[in-house]
Amino acid sequence: MTTTPGYQIPGRTATEQFPDSGYWNQQYSSEPYYLEGDTYEDYAAAYETGYSARRRDPAAEFAAAEDALRREWEGRKGNSRLDWSRARLAIQRAWERGDAHGT
């Protein structure tokens, strides 16, 4: 079973882009940084950034990786309406969840 669509609409993210996206799709609106009117698509790139960075370097400290995480998120944020301060919180949560789950 594949989680990547055969055709990607430019400017839109796939619903199941990375293994933890199902969790975040259900969880994002319960997070303390969520604001009414936000959609999962606003957070998806942030969660994927935190998840993928944690998988690449599980021993890294978040504070030491923060500048690189910001650059990575800026490059993949697409149509997200989040500014860095809110995206950072989502990235950090995905990072922490990855740490807790041994990724």
Side-chain angles (χ1 to χ4, degrees):
M1 182 171 153
T2 183
T3 59
T4 306
Y7 174 75
Q8 184 65 42
I9 299 170
R12 298 201 58 195
T13 57
T15 303
E16 192 68 32
Q17 266 188 348
F18 65 103
D20 220 13
S21 66
Y23 170 83
W24 288 114
N25 198 348
Q26 296 298 311
Q27 179 66 25
Y28 80 96
S29 62
S30 299
E31 292 294 314
Y33 46 78
Y34 169 79
L35 295 179
E36 189 69 34
D38 287 348
T39 66
Y40 176 70
E41 288 72 29
D42 291 319
Y43 295 96
Y47 292 136
E48 186 173 2
T49 297
Y51 174 89
S52 62
R54 194 57 160 163
R55 297 224 8 135
R56 283 192 308 269
D57 192 356
E61 296 291 329
F62 183 82
E66 191 169 343
D67 288 340
L69 290 167
R70 183 176 186 161
R71 287 189 301 273
E72 184 176 341
W73 177 76
E74 290 286 347
R76 69 167 47 170
K77 72 178 187 174
N79 294 327
S80 173
R81 297 176 290 175
L82 302 183
D83 61 14
W84 169 244
S85 64
R86 290 183 58 227
R88 180 190 177 280
L89 296 172
I91 290 168
Q92 187 170 16
R93 282 286 292 122
W95 174 283
E96 291 166 353
R97 177 174 158 79
D99 189 38
H101 288 85
T103 58

